[in-house]
Amino acid sequence: MDGNAAPIPGTDMTGICFRDQLWLNTYPLDRNLVFDYFALSPFYDYTCNNEQLRMRSIHPLDISHLSKMTGIEFMVSEVMEPHLFVIRKQKRDGPEKVTPMLTYYVLDGSIYQAPQLCNVFAARVGRALYYISKAFTTAASKLEKVGYVDLEDENLPHEPKAVKEAIDFKDVKRVDHILTSLQRKLPAAPPPPPFPEGYTPPSTTEGEQGPETEQADPKLPSVDPILDQGPSKRIKYA
């Protein structure tokens, strides 16, 4: 990417990544040179105070000079050489008064913009609501099958049972009514938020597939491990 164009203030740049392999092959990535590497990326703001210090041949992260200035500045807040560097963009209004704006991180030579906390919460809540709505839909459909027996089982001779389990169908109907009411109050399930770019879901074995894998193929029959276990596991009622 071309790092000479200054980013537009307020632009969401979480979907892009910057990496200069030629620079990484030439210079070591450490706390002394990481800011020079960050200045090549499109995340860098050439109107910041750090750039003014660079033009005066002063180290751009010299806090003794930055604390005397006001405006936009960048600071390296966390360092785990040589793999991770966290750079914070902030607005300075005085020697001890700064307001954080955005956060960037350099991970193994690749520079990213960290998402804001509100966007992270919105994505997590949206994904949770999606699966909660799916759970209510599945529960409501399974409750309709409670109390019914396959026709082929009804033709088989009934063996006397020493103990019969009693089920209060009033409770079943009451629970069914509650779930149906809650399902009607919930809005339509939004699609699940996409996974971050470059994320690969962990592979699962055939016997340990998660709920996302089971829902990905609509052609597979949905099997409930409790209520739909086949004719041999169902309770017959006289």
Side-chain angles (χ1 to χ4, degrees), residues 2-233:
D2 185 8
N4 295 325
I8 301 176
T11 302
D12 183 7
M13 305 180 72
T14 56
I16 66 175
C17 167
F18 175 83
R19 184 180 181 89
D20 191 337
Q21 191 61 45
L22 180 60
W23 193 98
L24 296 173
N25 294 338
T26 307
Y27 303 99
L29 192 60
D30 54 21
R31 66 181 67 217
N32 296 321
L33 296 177
V34 66
F35 190 83
D36 295 331
Y37 180 60
F38 177 77
L40 301 175
S41 70
F43 307 109
Y44 186 65
D45 189 350
Y46 280 85
T47 63
C48 65
N49 297 335
N50 309 85
E51 185 64 22
Q52 297 183 27
L53 295 181
R54 294 179 68 186
M55 295 174 63
R56 292 157 53 186
S57 300
I58 302 175
H59 195 280
L61 299 178
D62 192 340
I63 190 62
S64 62
H65 289 80
L66 289 175
S67 60
K68 300 176 183 179
M69 306 172 70
T70 58
I72 304 300
E73 67 180 26
F74 293 91
M75 289 296 296
V76 178
S77 58
E78 300 290 340
V79 175
M80 294 180 61
E81 293 181 333
H83 302 290
L84 178 63
F85 303 86
V86 179
I87 300 176
R88 184 174 65 246
K89 182 179 182 180
Q90 57 191 17
K91 181 181 179 182
R92 180 175 293 276
D93 297 321
E96 302 294 336
K97 185 178 181 181
V98 293
T99 304
M101 299 175 61
L102 293 171
T103 302
Y104 308 90
Y105 59 95
V106 185
L107 180 61
D108 291 332
S110 299
I111 306 177
Y112 306 87
Q113 176 182 327
Q116 295 185 352
L117 190 60
C118 60
N119 296 333
V120 175
F121 281 154
R124 296 291 178 87
V125 171
R127 186 178 295 273
L129 288 177
Y130 172 80
Y131 287 113
I132 289 175
S133 179
K134 283 289 186 180
F136 275 115
T137 302
T138 303
S141 63
K142 295 300 180 181
L143 282 175
E144 297 178 358
K145 301 180 180 180
V146 176
Y148 293 93
V149 182
D150 292 343
L151 295 178
E152 57 184 14
D153 291 344
E154 294 180 355
N155 298 328
L156 297 176
H158 297 282
E159 298 180 358
K161 294 183 179 180
V163 179
K164 293 184 178 180
E165 298 182 9
I167 295 180
D168 190 352
F169 287 96
K170 293 182 179 180
D171 293 339
V172 175
K173 293 181 179 180
R174 182 163 56 252
V175 174
D176 191 9
H177 177 71
I178 293 174
L179 290 176
T180 304
S181 301
L182 291 175
Q183 183 184 6
R184 293 175 180 174
K185 294 179 181 179
L186 288 174
F195 289 102
E197 182 179 358
Y199 173 79
T200 303
S203 60
T204 56
T205 58
E206 296 181 357
E208 299 178 351
Q209 293 182 351
E212 297 182 4
T213 307
E214 295 178 357
Q215 295 177 3
D217 191 354
K219 298 181 180 180
L220 296 176
S222 58
V223 178
D224 189 273
I226 299 177
L227 301 178
D228 193 2
Q229 297 183 352
S232 61
K233 298 296 183 64

